[in-house]
Amino acid sequence: MVRLPFLSSTRGVPEAAEVPRHIAIIMDGNGRWARKRLMPRVAGHAKGVDSLREVIRTCLDRGVEYLTVFAFSSENWRRPKDEVSFLMQLFIKSLKSELERIHRNHIRLRVVGDLAPFDEALVNLIHEGEALTAGNTRMNLSICANYGGRWDILQAMRKMAAEAPGQTEAWSEESLAGHLALNFAPEPDLFIRTGGEQRVSNFLLWQLAYSELYFTDKLWPEFGEAALDEAIASYQSRERRFGRTSEQLVSDPAGPAAPDHA
Ligand code: IPE
Ligand code: IPE
Ligand code: MG
Protein backbone atom coordinates (compact mmCIF):
# COMPACT_ATOMS: atom_id res chain seq x y z
CA MET A 1 0.00 0.00 0.00
CA VAL A 2 1.23 3.49 -0.82
CA ARG A 3 1.42 5.71 2.24
CA LEU A 4 0.53 9.36 1.90
CA PRO A 5 3.25 11.76 2.99
CA PHE A 6 0.62 14.38 3.88
CA LEU A 7 -2.56 14.52 5.89
CA SER A 8 -5.71 14.36 3.80
CA SER A 9 -8.05 17.34 4.37
CA THR A 10 -11.13 15.14 4.84
CA ARG A 11 -9.40 12.87 7.35
CA GLY A 12 -7.64 15.38 9.51
CA VAL A 13 -6.76 19.05 9.70
CA PRO A 14 -3.75 19.78 7.50
CA GLU A 15 -1.25 22.36 8.60
CA ALA A 16 -1.95 25.67 6.89
CA ALA A 17 1.00 27.98 6.33
CA GLU A 18 1.05 31.74 5.74
CA VAL A 19 2.35 31.19 2.21
CA PRO A 20 0.44 28.44 0.40
CA ARG A 21 2.64 25.35 0.20
CA HIS A 22 0.90 24.17 -2.95
CA ILE A 23 -0.60 26.40 -5.62
CA ALA A 24 -2.54 24.87 -8.53
CA ILE A 25 -3.35 27.02 -11.55
CA ILE A 26 -5.66 26.70 -14.55
CA MET A 27 -3.86 28.93 -17.04
CA ASP A 28 -6.84 30.08 -19.07
CA GLY A 29 -7.57 32.95 -21.46
CA ASN A 30 -4.70 32.70 -23.96
CA GLY A 31 -6.99 32.59 -26.99
CA ARG A 32 -9.07 35.58 -25.90
CA TRP A 33 -5.93 37.58 -25.10
CA ALA A 34 -4.72 37.08 -28.66
CA ARG A 35 -8.10 37.68 -30.32
CA LYS A 36 -8.42 40.99 -28.46
CA ARG A 37 -5.20 42.01 -30.20
CA LEU A 38 -6.40 40.70 -33.58
CA MET A 39 -3.77 37.99 -33.43
CA PRO A 40 -4.29 34.25 -33.99
CA ARG A 41 -5.25 32.34 -30.82
CA VAL A 42 -1.95 30.50 -30.76
CA ALA A 43 -0.05 33.77 -30.25
CA GLY A 44 -1.69 33.81 -26.84
CA HIS A 45 -0.31 30.37 -26.03
CA ALA A 46 3.19 31.52 -26.95
CA LYS A 47 2.82 34.61 -24.74
CA GLY A 48 1.49 32.40 -21.94
CA VAL A 49 4.90 30.75 -21.62
CA ASP A 50 6.30 34.11 -20.41
CA SER A 51 3.61 34.28 -17.73
CA LEU A 52 4.46 30.79 -16.57
CA ARG A 53 8.15 31.68 -16.32
CA GLU A 54 7.31 34.73 -14.19
CA VAL A 55 4.93 32.76 -11.98
CA ILE A 56 7.56 30.05 -11.41
CA ARG A 57 10.10 32.70 -10.42
CA THR A 58 7.63 34.39 -8.07
CA CYS A 59 6.73 31.07 -6.44
CA LEU A 60 10.43 30.41 -5.85
CA ASP A 61 10.84 33.87 -4.29
CA ARG A 62 7.82 33.46 -2.03
CA GLY A 63 8.76 29.98 -0.85
CA VAL A 64 5.96 28.02 -2.48
CA GLU A 65 6.92 24.32 -2.39
CA TYR A 66 4.61 22.90 -5.05
CA LEU A 67 3.36 24.60 -8.20
CA THR A 68 0.99 22.60 -10.39
CA VAL A 69 -0.25 24.04 -13.68
CA PHE A 70 -2.86 22.81 -16.14
CA ALA A 71 -1.30 23.04 -19.60
CA PHE A 72 -3.47 20.68 -21.67
CA SER A 73 -6.61 18.90 -20.54
CA SER A 74 -7.85 15.53 -21.70
CA GLU A 75 -10.69 17.49 -23.33
CA ASN A 76 -8.39 19.87 -25.23
CA TRP A 77 -7.94 17.24 -27.98
CA ARG A 78 -11.36 18.49 -29.13
CA ARG A 79 -9.75 21.70 -30.40
CA PRO A 80 -8.89 22.31 -34.06
CA LYS A 81 -6.06 20.07 -35.24
CA ASP A 82 -3.79 23.03 -36.00
CA GLU A 83 -4.14 24.44 -32.50
CA VAL A 84 -3.44 21.06 -30.87
CA SER A 85 -0.37 20.60 -33.03
CA PHE A 86 0.85 24.13 -32.24
CA LEU A 87 0.45 23.41 -28.53
CA MET A 88 2.47 20.19 -28.82
CA GLN A 89 5.26 22.00 -30.69
CA LEU A 90 5.22 24.81 -28.13
CA PHE A 91 5.46 22.26 -25.33
CA ILE A 92 8.55 20.71 -26.96
CA LYS A 93 10.13 24.09 -27.67
CA SER A 94 9.49 25.43 -24.17
CA LEU A 95 10.76 22.29 -22.45
CA LYS A 96 13.97 22.55 -24.47
CA SER A 97 14.48 26.24 -23.78
CA GLU A 98 13.44 26.30 -20.11
CA LEU A 99 14.82 23.03 -18.76
CA GLU A 100 18.27 24.41 -18.05
CA ARG A 101 16.79 27.35 -16.08
CA ILE A 102 14.48 25.01 -14.17
CA HIS A 103 17.38 22.78 -13.20
CA ARG A 104 19.62 25.72 -12.30
CA ASN A 105 16.96 26.88 -9.87
CA HIS A 106 16.84 23.46 -8.18
CA ILE A 107 13.29 22.79 -9.33
CA ARG A 108 12.04 19.26 -9.74
CA LEU A 109 9.97 18.92 -12.89
CA ARG A 110 7.22 16.39 -13.43
CA VAL A 111 4.75 16.09 -16.28
CA VAL A 112 1.53 14.63 -14.98
CA GLY A 113 -1.11 13.00 -17.13
CA ASP A 114 -1.60 10.22 -19.63
CA LEU A 115 1.46 10.51 -21.86
CA ALA A 116 0.44 7.59 -24.11
CA PRO A 117 -0.94 9.68 -27.01
CA PHE A 118 2.06 12.05 -27.17
CA ASP A 119 4.77 11.83 -29.83
CA GLU A 120 7.83 9.83 -28.90
CA ALA A 121 10.04 12.91 -29.19
CA LEU A 122 7.94 14.74 -26.61
CA VAL A 123 7.78 11.76 -24.26
CA ASN A 124 11.56 11.33 -24.45
CA LEU A 125 12.07 15.00 -23.69
CA ILE A 126 9.72 14.74 -20.70
CA HIS A 127 11.60 11.72 -19.35
CA GLU A 128 14.94 13.50 -19.84
CA GLY A 129 13.69 16.58 -17.98
CA GLU A 130 12.28 14.51 -15.14
CA ALA A 131 15.47 12.48 -14.81
CA LEU A 132 17.71 15.56 -14.91
CA THR A 133 15.78 17.31 -12.15
CA ALA A 134 14.86 14.25 -10.04
CA GLY A 135 17.26 15.19 -7.25
CA ASN A 136 16.10 18.82 -6.94
CA THR A 137 14.28 19.79 -3.77
CA ARG A 138 13.73 23.56 -3.78
CA MET A 139 10.36 23.47 -5.54
CA ASN A 140 8.19 20.89 -7.29
CA LEU A 141 6.83 22.02 -10.64
CA SER A 142 4.17 19.77 -12.11
CA ILE A 143 2.83 20.35 -15.58
CA CYS A 144 -0.49 18.63 -16.17
CA ALA A 145 -0.69 17.53 -19.79
CA ASN A 146 -3.41 15.29 -21.18
CA TYR A 147 -4.57 15.30 -17.61
CA GLY A 148 -8.14 14.93 -16.38
CA GLY A 149 -9.33 14.58 -12.80
CA ARG A 150 -11.65 11.71 -13.70
CA TRP A 151 -8.89 9.90 -15.60
CA ASP A 152 -6.70 10.28 -12.52
CA ILE A 153 -9.25 8.80 -10.08
CA LEU A 154 -9.98 5.93 -12.47
CA GLN A 155 -6.32 5.05 -13.05
CA ALA A 156 -5.77 5.12 -9.27
CA MET A 157 -8.65 2.67 -8.76
CA ARG A 158 -7.33 0.41 -11.49
CA LYS A 159 -3.91 0.31 -9.82
CA MET A 160 -5.46 -0.53 -6.46
CA ALA A 161 -7.55 -3.30 -8.00
CA ALA A 162 -4.48 -4.75 -9.71
CA GLU A 163 -2.37 -4.64 -6.54
CA ALA A 164 -4.93 -6.38 -4.33
CA PRO A 165 -7.60 -8.06 -6.43
CA GLY A 166 -10.99 -8.40 -4.75
CA GLN A 167 -9.99 -6.43 -1.66
CA THR A 168 -12.09 -3.34 -2.23
CA GLU A 169 -13.21 -3.36 1.44
CA ALA A 170 -9.68 -2.40 2.41
CA TRP A 171 -9.68 0.67 0.16
CA SER A 172 -9.50 3.99 1.96
CA GLU A 173 -9.27 7.64 1.05
CA GLU A 174 -5.57 7.47 1.83
CA SER A 175 -4.91 4.48 -0.38
CA LEU A 176 -6.77 6.10 -3.27
CA ALA A 177 -4.95 9.42 -2.79
CA GLY A 178 -1.67 7.49 -2.68
CA HIS A 179 -2.29 6.18 -6.19
CA LEU A 180 -3.21 9.49 -7.79
CA ALA A 181 -0.77 11.01 -10.26
CA LEU A 182 0.09 13.79 -7.76
CA ASN A 183 0.58 11.42 -4.81
CA PHE A 184 3.86 13.15 -3.95
CA ALA A 185 2.21 16.49 -3.18
CA PRO A 186 -0.05 17.76 -0.41
CA GLU A 187 -3.50 18.89 -1.56
CA PRO A 188 -3.41 22.38 -3.10
CA ASP A 189 -3.91 25.17 -0.56
CA LEU A 190 -4.72 27.68 -3.27
CA PHE A 191 -6.41 27.05 -6.63
CA ILE A 192 -6.22 29.87 -9.17
CA ARG A 193 -8.08 30.12 -12.45
CA THR A 194 -7.39 33.01 -14.79
CA GLY A 195 -9.56 34.02 -17.73
CA GLY A 196 -12.82 34.75 -15.90
CA GLU A 197 -14.48 31.32 -16.03
CA GLN A 198 -15.57 29.99 -12.67
CA ARG A 199 -15.29 26.26 -13.18
CA VAL A 200 -12.89 23.43 -12.45
CA SER A 201 -12.87 21.91 -15.97
CA ASN A 202 -11.85 18.43 -14.79
CA PHE A 203 -8.68 19.60 -13.02
CA LEU A 204 -7.66 18.04 -9.68
CA LEU A 205 -11.13 16.79 -8.73
CA TRP A 206 -10.07 14.72 -5.74
CA GLN A 207 -7.51 17.09 -4.27
CA LEU A 208 -9.53 20.31 -4.46
CA ALA A 209 -11.82 19.14 -1.63
CA TYR A 210 -10.64 21.89 0.75
CA SER A 211 -8.56 24.17 -1.47
CA GLU A 212 -9.23 27.89 -1.41
CA LEU A 213 -10.59 28.88 -4.82
CA TYR A 214 -9.52 32.11 -6.50
CA PHE A 215 -10.88 33.29 -9.83
CA THR A 216 -9.61 36.31 -11.72
CA ASP A 217 -10.74 37.96 -14.95
CA LYS A 218 -7.10 38.56 -15.87
CA LEU A 219 -6.20 36.52 -18.94
CA TRP A 220 -3.25 34.16 -18.50
CA PRO A 221 -0.81 36.15 -20.70
CA GLU A 222 -1.48 39.18 -18.45
CA PHE A 223 -0.90 37.24 -15.24
CA GLY A 224 2.43 37.71 -13.47
CA GLU A 225 4.14 38.56 -10.20
CA ALA A 226 1.73 41.27 -9.02
CA ALA A 227 -1.34 39.23 -9.92
CA LEU A 228 0.03 36.17 -8.12
CA ASP A 229 0.74 38.26 -5.03
CA GLU A 230 -2.88 39.45 -5.11
CA ALA A 231 -4.06 35.85 -5.20
CA ILE A 232 -1.76 34.93 -2.29
CA ALA A 233 -3.01 37.97 -0.33
CA SER A 234 -6.59 36.82 -0.91
CA TYR A 235 -5.63 33.37 0.33
CA GLN A 236 -4.07 34.86 3.44
CA SER A 237 -7.31 36.69 4.24
CA ARG A 238 -9.36 33.47 4.27
CA GLU A 239 -10.27 31.43 7.30
CA ARG A 240 -9.65 27.75 6.59
CA ARG A 241 -11.96 25.82 8.87
CA PHE A 242 -11.90 22.30 7.40
CA GLY A 243 -15.38 21.66 8.76
CA ARG A 244 -14.88 23.23 12.19
CA THR A 245 -16.32 26.44 13.62
CA SER A 246 -14.50 29.77 13.84
CA GLU A 247 -14.56 29.50 17.65
CA GLN A 248 -12.73 26.18 17.58
CA LEU A 249 -9.93 27.72 15.55
CA VAL A 250 -9.23 30.10 18.43
CA SER A 251 -9.68 27.66 21.33
CA ASP A 252 -8.23 24.48 19.82
CA PRO A 253 -6.28 25.24 16.63
CA ALA A 254 -5.01 21.69 16.13
CA GLY A 255 -8.05 19.49 16.67
CA PRO A 256 -10.25 17.63 17.11
CA ALA A 257 -9.76 15.49 14.02
CA ALA A 258 -12.62 14.00 12.04
CA PRO A 259 -13.58 10.44 12.99
CA ASP A 260 -12.22 7.55 10.97
CA HIS A 261 -15.10 7.04 8.59
CA ALA A 262 -13.44 5.26 5.72
C1 IPE B 1 -5.78 28.14 -22.05
O1 IPE B 1 -6.18 29.19 -22.87
C2 IPE B 1 -4.72 27.29 -22.68
C3 IPE B 1 -5.17 25.93 -23.04
C4 IPE B 1 -6.34 25.43 -22.80
C5 IPE B 1 -4.21 25.09 -23.72
P1 IPE B 1 -7.35 29.00 -23.89
O2 IPE B 1 -6.79 28.55 -25.19
O3 IPE B 1 -8.42 28.14 -23.34
O4 IPE B 1 -7.88 30.49 -24.04
P2 IPE B 1 -9.39 30.94 -24.16
O5 IPE B 1 -10.10 30.40 -22.96
O6 IPE B 1 -9.93 30.39 -25.44
O7 IPE B 1 -9.31 32.43 -24.17
C1 IPE C 1 -8.87 24.37 -19.05
O1 IPE C 1 -9.10 25.41 -19.95
C2 IPE C 1 -7.67 23.59 -19.45
C3 IPE C 1 -6.40 24.31 -19.49
C4 IPE C 1 -6.18 25.55 -19.11
C5 IPE C 1 -5.29 23.55 -19.94
P1 IPE C 1 -10.19 25.30 -21.09
O2 IPE C 1 -10.22 26.63 -21.77
O3 IPE C 1 -9.93 24.12 -21.96
O4 IPE C 1 -11.52 25.05 -20.25
P2 IPE C 1 -13.04 25.18 -20.68
O5 IPE C 1 -13.24 24.35 -21.91
O6 IPE C 1 -13.33 26.61 -20.97
O7 IPE C 1 -13.82 24.70 -19.49
MG1 MG D 1 -10.10 28.49 -22.26
Side-chain angles (χ1 to χ4, degrees):
M1 187 177 111
V2 182
R3 292 204 74 80
L4 262 194
F6 303 105
L7 195 56
S8 148
S9 60
T10 46
R11 306 269 284 159
V13 178
E15 244 178 83
E18 183 79 355
V19 172
R21 295 184 65 196
H22 185 176
I23 299 182
I25 308 182
I26 298 188
M27 310 183 289
D28 196 20
N30 295 348
R32 278 165 286 160
W33 180 88
R35 297 312 295 167
K36 270 197 345 201
R37 285 160 183 77
L38 307 176
M39 297 194 285
R41 290 178 47 84
V42 295
H45 298 319
K47 188 73 170 67
V49 177
D50 297 338
S51 298
L52 181 55
R53 193 184 304 109
E54 185 168 328
V55 163
I56 293 170
R57 190 177 44 72
T58 308
C59 284
L60 277 179
D61 287 351
R62 305 296 179 270
V64 172
E65 293 169 57
Y66 298 84
L67 173 64
T68 303
V69 296
F70 208 4
F72 191 85
S73 75
S74 39
E75 289 70 43
N76 286 146
W77 296 106
R78 297 169 182 162
R79 294 192 175 199
K81 233 173 135 217
D82 284 357
E83 183 167 339
V84 170
S85 131
F86 181 93
L87 283 165
M88 294 301 148
Q89 290 312 313
L90 182 65
F91 197 7
I92 293 179
K93 189 174 146 223
S94 310
L95 269 178
K96 281 186 178 160
S97 63
E98 304 299 320
L99 189 59
E100 156 65 25
R101 192 197 319 269
I102 287 172
H103 187 44
R104 202 174 347 113
N105 282 291
H106 310 286
I107 297 170
R108 178 165 185 179
L109 172 75
R110 290 181 182 89
V111 177
V112 173
D114 179 8
L115 303 188
F118 290 145
D119 279 359
E120 205 185 323
L122 178 54
V123 175
N124 289 342
L125 204 56
I126 290 170
H127 288 154
E128 271 171 44
E130 289 183 337
L132 176 73
T133 62
N136 294 344
T137 54
R138 183 159 171 214
M139 188 170 91
N140 289 276
L141 170 65
S142 305
I143 301 188
C144 295
N146 193 25
Y147 174 89
R150 290 185 178 179
W151 162 83
D152 198 5
I153 293 169
L154 195 59
Q155 67 81 29
M157 288 168 69
R158 286 204 176 112
K159 277 187 196 155
M160 291 198 292
E163 278 172 21
Q167 294 181 34
T168 55
E169 288 304 316
W171 290 7
S172 65
E173 291 188 17
E174 281 85 357
S175 56
L176 197 146
H179 288 83
L180 293 173
L182 277 162
N183 62 0
F184 54 87
E187 294 168 29
D189 301 294
L190 174 60
F191 160 96
I192 299 172
R193 181 172 186 146
T194 62
E197 312 294 356
Q198 304 201 355
R199 55 179 172 247
V200 172
S201 298
N202 200 17
F203 198 24
L204 310 164
L205 296 181
W206 179 273
Q207 297 95 327
L208 292 178
Y210 269 105
S211 304
E212 296 298 327
L213 308 181
Y214 180 85
F215 298 96
T216 170
D217 288 335
K218 260 202 172 38
L219 304 170
W220 178 248
E222 303 165 335
F223 195 87
E225 179 172 4
L228 180 61
D229 279 338
E230 269 178 48
I232 293 176
S234 166
Y235 168 83
Q236 288 167 338
S237 73
R238 316 260 182 113
E239 184 176 72
R240 303 190 74 190
R241 292 192 287 276
F242 299 103
R244 298 163 298 166
T245 67
S246 277
E247 290 73 18
Q248 284 174 296
L249 298 184
V250 179
S251 62
D252 186 14
D260 239 11
H261 57 77

